[in-house]
Amino acid sequence: FFTYLRSLPNTLVYGIPASHLNIAMLAQQRKEKGYPSTNKLIHIGVPEKIANTLAPFQRGGVEFVYERKGRALVADEMGLGKTIQGIASMAIYHEDWPILVLSPSSARYHWQNEFLNWLGESEEENQVPEFGNGEELNDAS
């Protein structure tokens, strides 16, 4: 089809850039590679409680982030467990904490509850500072 289009007069056709093809192939490569075992995730630093809870595709998401040294975007559909994948991925890099989670204001307590649920209340890293409503910033001027 590509050859046919290029043969048409007054038609200019470019191939798909390799960088785009590489991105499109990620899902296929993940499928061929398979998902990591729970033990592999525990070995790389995911807490056992979380590793044992993750579904196979979620384990794949955590491994994806790990393979990219924590610099990745997990963009699954709603309800597929991005929060727990994020927490599992962040836990691998716990020595680099503190971390900053950016979320809509309406989701901040959800994130707090999930951190406490999966990593425990006793963790110093899980203590969420309370901030005011921003009025104190206006008073400073």
Side-chain angles (χ1 to χ4, degrees), residues 70-110:
R71 301 185 188 286
L73 175 67
V74 178
D76 289 335
E77 298 287 335
M78 285 179 53
L80 293 179
K82 292 179 297 294
T83 302
I84 192 171
Q85 289 179 67
I87 292 171
S89 299
M90 290 180 239
I92 295 170
Y93 301 99
H94 69 276
E95 292 176 0
D96 296 327
W97 286 23
I99 58 169
L100 174 64
V101 176
L102 300 175
S103 73
S105 173
S106 59
R108 69 184 183 271
Y109 296 115
H110 169 73

Short mmCIF file of all heavy atoms in Angstrom, two decimals, residues 70-110:
data_model
loop_
_atom_site.label_atom_id
_atom_site.label_comp_id
_atom_site.label_asym_id
_atom_site.label_seq_id
_atom_site.Cartn_x
_atom_site.Cartn_y
_atom_site.Cartn_z
N GLY A 70 12.69 4.85 37.07
CA GLY A 70 11.68 5.66 37.74
C GLY A 70 11.13 6.78 36.90
O GLY A 70 10.27 7.53 37.35
N ARG A 71 11.58 6.91 35.69
CA ARG A 71 11.13 8.01 34.82
C ARG A 71 10.22 7.47 33.73
O ARG A 71 10.65 7.19 32.62
CB ARG A 71 12.33 8.72 34.22
CG ARG A 71 13.25 9.29 35.28
CD ARG A 71 14.38 10.09 34.68
NE ARG A 71 15.37 10.48 35.65
CZ ARG A 71 15.22 11.42 36.57
NH1 ARG A 71 14.10 12.05 36.68
NH2 ARG A 71 16.20 11.71 37.39
N ALA A 72 8.96 7.32 34.09
CA ALA A 72 7.99 6.78 33.15
C ALA A 72 6.60 7.29 33.50
O ALA A 72 6.36 7.77 34.61
CB ALA A 72 8.01 5.26 33.19
N LEU A 73 5.72 7.17 32.57
CA LEU A 73 4.33 7.57 32.76
C LEU A 73 3.46 6.33 32.62
O LEU A 73 3.52 5.64 31.60
CB LEU A 73 3.94 8.61 31.70
CG LEU A 73 2.50 9.06 31.68
CD1 LEU A 73 2.18 9.85 32.94
CD2 LEU A 73 2.23 9.91 30.45
N VAL A 74 2.68 6.04 33.64
CA VAL A 74 1.73 4.93 33.60
C VAL A 74 0.37 5.54 33.25
O VAL A 74 -0.16 6.34 34.01
CB VAL A 74 1.67 4.18 34.95
CG1 VAL A 74 0.63 3.08 34.90
CG2 VAL A 74 3.04 3.62 35.30
N ALA A 75 -0.17 5.18 32.10
CA ALA A 75 -1.39 5.82 31.61
C ALA A 75 -2.45 4.79 31.28
O ALA A 75 -3.03 4.79 30.20
CB ALA A 75 -1.06 6.67 30.39
N ASP A 76 -2.74 3.90 32.21
CA ASP A 76 -3.80 2.91 32.01
C ASP A 76 -5.16 3.58 32.09
O ASP A 76 -5.29 4.71 32.54
CB ASP A 76 -3.72 1.82 33.08
CG ASP A 76 -2.52 0.89 32.90
OD1 ASP A 76 -2.04 0.77 31.76
OD2 ASP A 76 -2.09 0.29 33.89
N GLU A 77 -6.17 2.82 31.71
CA GLU A 77 -7.55 3.29 31.82
C GLU A 77 -7.91 3.49 33.30
O GLU A 77 -7.26 2.94 34.18
CB GLU A 77 -8.51 2.26 31.22
CG GLU A 77 -8.30 2.00 29.74
CD GLU A 77 -8.78 3.14 28.87
OE1 GLU A 77 -9.68 3.89 29.31
OE2 GLU A 77 -8.25 3.29 27.76
N MET A 78 -8.98 4.23 33.54
CA MET A 78 -9.45 4.43 34.91
C MET A 78 -9.81 3.09 35.54
O MET A 78 -10.36 2.20 34.88
CB MET A 78 -10.70 5.32 34.91
CG MET A 78 -10.40 6.78 34.67
SD MET A 78 -11.87 7.82 34.66
CE MET A 78 -12.65 7.39 36.20
N GLY A 79 -9.46 2.94 36.82
CA GLY A 79 -9.85 1.75 37.57
C GLY A 79 -8.93 0.57 37.43
O GLY A 79 -9.23 -0.51 37.95
N LEU A 80 -7.79 0.73 36.75
CA LEU A 80 -6.89 -0.40 36.56
C LEU A 80 -5.72 -0.42 37.53
O LEU A 80 -4.84 -1.25 37.42
CB LEU A 80 -6.37 -0.44 35.11
CG LEU A 80 -7.44 -0.75 34.07
CD1 LEU A 80 -6.84 -0.75 32.67
CD2 LEU A 80 -8.12 -2.08 34.36
N GLY A 81 -5.70 0.51 38.48
CA GLY A 81 -4.69 0.43 39.53
C GLY A 81 -3.44 1.23 39.30
O GLY A 81 -2.35 0.80 39.68
N LYS A 82 -3.57 2.42 38.73
CA LYS A 82 -2.38 3.26 38.55
C LYS A 82 -1.82 3.71 39.89
O LYS A 82 -0.61 3.83 40.04
CB LYS A 82 -2.72 4.49 37.69
CG LYS A 82 -3.03 4.17 36.23
CD LYS A 82 -3.37 5.40 35.44
CE LYS A 82 -4.61 6.10 35.91
NZ LYS A 82 -5.86 5.36 35.74
N THR A 83 -2.69 3.95 40.87
CA THR A 83 -2.22 4.42 42.17
C THR A 83 -1.31 3.38 42.82
O THR A 83 -0.21 3.71 43.26
CB THR A 83 -3.41 4.74 43.09
OG1 THR A 83 -4.22 5.74 42.47
CG2 THR A 83 -2.94 5.25 44.44
N ILE A 84 -1.75 2.14 42.87
CA ILE A 84 -0.92 1.11 43.51
C ILE A 84 0.35 0.85 42.70
O ILE A 84 1.42 0.60 43.27
CB ILE A 84 -1.71 -0.19 43.78
CG1 ILE A 84 -0.88 -1.11 44.70
CG2 ILE A 84 -2.10 -0.87 42.50
CD1 ILE A 84 -1.65 -2.31 45.21
N GLN A 85 0.27 0.95 41.38
CA GLN A 85 1.48 0.82 40.56
C GLN A 85 2.45 1.95 40.87
O GLN A 85 3.66 1.73 40.96
CB GLN A 85 1.14 0.83 39.07
CG GLN A 85 0.43 -0.42 38.58
CD GLN A 85 0.10 -0.32 37.10
OE1 GLN A 85 1.00 -0.30 36.27
NE2 GLN A 85 -1.19 -0.24 36.79
N GLY A 86 1.90 3.15 41.03
CA GLY A 86 2.74 4.30 41.36
C GLY A 86 3.41 4.14 42.72
O GLY A 86 4.60 4.39 42.87
N ILE A 87 2.64 3.71 43.70
CA ILE A 87 3.19 3.52 45.04
C ILE A 87 4.25 2.42 45.03
O ILE A 87 5.31 2.55 45.64
CB ILE A 87 2.07 3.24 46.05
CG1 ILE A 87 1.22 4.50 46.23
CG2 ILE A 87 2.63 2.77 47.40
CD1 ILE A 87 -0.04 4.30 47.04
N ALA A 88 3.98 1.33 44.32
CA ALA A 88 4.96 0.24 44.22
C ALA A 88 6.23 0.74 43.56
O ALA A 88 7.35 0.45 44.02
CB ALA A 88 4.37 -0.93 43.44
N SER A 89 6.08 1.51 42.49
CA SER A 89 7.24 2.05 41.79
C SER A 89 8.02 3.02 42.65
O SER A 89 9.25 3.00 42.69
CB SER A 89 6.80 2.74 40.50
OG SER A 89 6.15 1.84 39.64
N MET A 90 7.30 3.88 43.38
CA MET A 90 7.96 4.84 44.26
C MET A 90 8.69 4.13 45.40
O MET A 90 9.75 4.58 45.83
CB MET A 90 6.94 5.83 44.82
CG MET A 90 6.40 6.80 43.81
SD MET A 90 5.22 7.91 44.59
CE MET A 90 3.76 7.57 43.63
N ALA A 91 8.11 3.03 45.88
CA ALA A 91 8.72 2.29 46.99
C ALA A 91 10.09 1.73 46.61
O ALA A 91 10.97 1.60 47.47
CB ALA A 91 7.79 1.18 47.46
N ILE A 92 10.28 1.41 45.34
CA ILE A 92 11.58 0.90 44.88
C ILE A 92 12.66 1.94 45.15
O ILE A 92 13.79 1.61 45.48
CB ILE A 92 11.53 0.56 43.37
CG1 ILE A 92 10.56 -0.60 43.13
CG2 ILE A 92 12.92 0.23 42.85
CD1 ILE A 92 10.27 -0.86 41.65
N TYR A 93 12.29 3.20 45.03
CA TYR A 93 13.24 4.29 45.18
C TYR A 93 13.10 5.00 46.52
O TYR A 93 13.38 6.19 46.64
CB TYR A 93 13.05 5.29 44.02
CG TYR A 93 13.26 4.64 42.68
CD1 TYR A 93 12.18 4.21 41.92
CD2 TYR A 93 14.54 4.41 42.20
CE1 TYR A 93 12.37 3.59 40.69
CE2 TYR A 93 14.74 3.78 40.99
CZ TYR A 93 13.65 3.37 40.24
OH TYR A 93 13.86 2.74 39.04
N HIS A 94 12.71 4.25 47.57
CA HIS A 94 12.46 4.86 48.88
C HIS A 94 13.67 5.59 49.45
O HIS A 94 13.53 6.52 50.23
CB HIS A 94 11.94 3.82 49.87
CG HIS A 94 12.96 2.82 50.27
ND1 HIS A 94 13.23 1.70 49.52
CD2 HIS A 94 13.80 2.78 51.32
CE1 HIS A 94 14.19 1.01 50.11
NE2 HIS A 94 14.55 1.64 51.20
N GLU A 95 14.87 5.20 49.05
CA GLU A 95 16.06 5.87 49.55
C GLU A 95 16.19 7.29 48.99
O GLU A 95 16.93 8.11 49.52
CB GLU A 95 17.31 5.06 49.24
CG GLU A 95 17.36 3.76 50.02
CD GLU A 95 18.55 2.89 49.66
OE1 GLU A 95 19.36 3.28 48.79
OE2 GLU A 95 18.66 1.81 50.24
N ASP A 96 15.49 7.56 47.90
CA ASP A 96 15.53 8.88 47.28
C ASP A 96 14.42 9.80 47.78
O ASP A 96 14.30 10.92 47.32
CB ASP A 96 15.40 8.76 45.75
CG ASP A 96 16.56 8.01 45.14
OD1 ASP A 96 17.69 8.12 45.66
OD2 ASP A 96 16.34 7.29 44.15
N TRP A 97 13.60 9.31 48.71
CA TRP A 97 12.50 10.12 49.22
C TRP A 97 13.04 11.28 50.02
O TRP A 97 14.15 11.21 50.50
CB TRP A 97 11.60 9.24 50.09
CG TRP A 97 10.76 8.29 49.30
CD1 TRP A 97 10.99 7.81 48.05
CD2 TRP A 97 9.55 7.67 49.74
NE1 TRP A 97 10.00 6.94 47.68
CE2 TRP A 97 9.11 6.83 48.69
CE3 TRP A 97 8.80 7.74 50.90
CZ2 TRP A 97 7.96 6.08 48.79
CZ3 TRP A 97 7.66 6.99 50.99
CH2 TRP A 97 7.23 6.16 49.94
N PRO A 98 12.37 12.36 50.21
CA PRO A 98 10.93 12.52 50.03
C PRO A 98 10.57 12.63 48.55
O PRO A 98 11.39 12.99 47.72
CB PRO A 98 10.59 13.81 50.77
CG PRO A 98 11.85 14.59 50.77
CD PRO A 98 12.97 13.59 50.77
N ILE A 99 9.31 12.33 48.28
CA ILE A 99 8.78 12.43 46.93
C ILE A 99 7.64 13.45 46.93
O ILE A 99 7.12 13.82 47.97
CB ILE A 99 8.25 11.08 46.43
CG1 ILE A 99 7.17 10.56 47.38
CG2 ILE A 99 9.36 10.08 46.25
CD1 ILE A 99 6.41 9.39 46.85
N LEU A 100 7.29 13.86 45.76
CA LEU A 100 6.19 14.80 45.59
C LEU A 100 5.17 14.15 44.66
O LEU A 100 5.51 13.76 43.55
CB LEU A 100 6.69 16.12 44.98
CG LEU A 100 5.63 17.15 44.61
CD1 LEU A 100 4.90 17.64 45.86
CD2 LEU A 100 6.28 18.30 43.86
N VAL A 101 3.95 14.02 45.12
CA VAL A 101 2.86 13.50 44.30
C VAL A 101 1.99 14.67 43.90
O VAL A 101 1.47 15.38 44.75
CB VAL A 101 2.01 12.46 45.07
CG1 VAL A 101 0.83 12.00 44.23
CG2 VAL A 101 2.87 11.26 45.48
N LEU A 102 1.89 14.88 42.62
CA LEU A 102 1.04 15.95 42.10
C LEU A 102 -0.30 15.34 41.71
O LEU A 102 -0.34 14.38 40.94
CB LEU A 102 1.68 16.61 40.89
CG LEU A 102 3.04 17.25 41.13
CD1 LEU A 102 3.63 17.76 39.82
CD2 LEU A 102 2.94 18.37 42.13
N SER A 103 -1.35 15.88 42.26
CA SER A 103 -2.68 15.36 41.96
C SER A 103 -3.69 16.49 42.11
O SER A 103 -3.39 17.52 42.71
CB SER A 103 -3.05 14.22 42.91
OG SER A 103 -3.33 14.72 44.20
N PRO A 104 -4.87 16.29 41.56
CA PRO A 104 -5.91 17.29 41.82
C PRO A 104 -6.17 17.38 43.32
O PRO A 104 -6.00 16.39 44.05
CB PRO A 104 -7.14 16.75 41.09
CG PRO A 104 -6.60 15.76 40.11
CD PRO A 104 -5.34 15.22 40.71
N SER A 105 -6.59 18.52 43.77
CA SER A 105 -6.88 18.72 45.18
C SER A 105 -7.85 17.67 45.71
O SER A 105 -7.71 17.18 46.83
CB SER A 105 -7.44 20.12 45.38
OG SER A 105 -7.88 20.30 46.71
N SER A 106 -8.81 17.31 44.90
CA SER A 106 -9.83 16.35 45.33
C SER A 106 -9.27 14.94 45.55
O SER A 106 -9.89 14.12 46.20
CB SER A 106 -10.96 16.29 44.31
OG SER A 106 -10.44 15.90 43.04
N ALA A 107 -8.06 14.66 45.02
CA ALA A 107 -7.48 13.32 45.15
C ALA A 107 -6.41 13.23 46.23
O ALA A 107 -5.89 12.16 46.50
CB ALA A 107 -6.89 12.87 43.81
N ARG A 108 -6.08 14.32 46.90
CA ARG A 108 -4.96 14.30 47.85
C ARG A 108 -5.19 13.35 49.02
O ARG A 108 -4.28 12.67 49.46
CB ARG A 108 -4.61 15.69 48.32
CG ARG A 108 -5.62 16.37 49.21
CD ARG A 108 -5.19 17.81 49.55
NE ARG A 108 -6.10 18.45 50.44
CZ ARG A 108 -7.16 19.15 50.06
NH1 ARG A 108 -7.45 19.26 48.79
NH2 ARG A 108 -7.94 19.71 50.96
N TYR A 109 -6.43 13.29 49.51
CA TYR A 109 -6.69 12.40 50.64
C TYR A 109 -6.73 10.94 50.19
O TYR A 109 -6.37 10.04 50.95
CB TYR A 109 -7.98 12.79 51.37
CG TYR A 109 -7.86 14.16 51.99
CD1 TYR A 109 -8.64 15.22 51.56
CD2 TYR A 109 -6.92 14.40 53.00
CE1 TYR A 109 -8.51 16.48 52.12
CE2 TYR A 109 -6.79 15.66 53.57
CZ TYR A 109 -7.59 16.70 53.12
OH TYR A 109 -7.44 17.94 53.68
N HIS A 110 -7.13 10.72 48.96
CA HIS A 110 -7.08 9.36 48.40
C HIS A 110 -5.63 8.88 48.37
O HIS A 110 -5.34 7.76 48.80
CB HIS A 110 -7.68 9.34 46.98
CG HIS A 110 -7.43 8.06 46.25
ND1 HIS A 110 -8.09 6.89 46.56
CD2 HIS A 110 -6.58 7.77 45.24
CE1 HIS A 110 -7.65 5.93 45.76
NE2 HIS A 110 -6.74 6.43 44.95
#
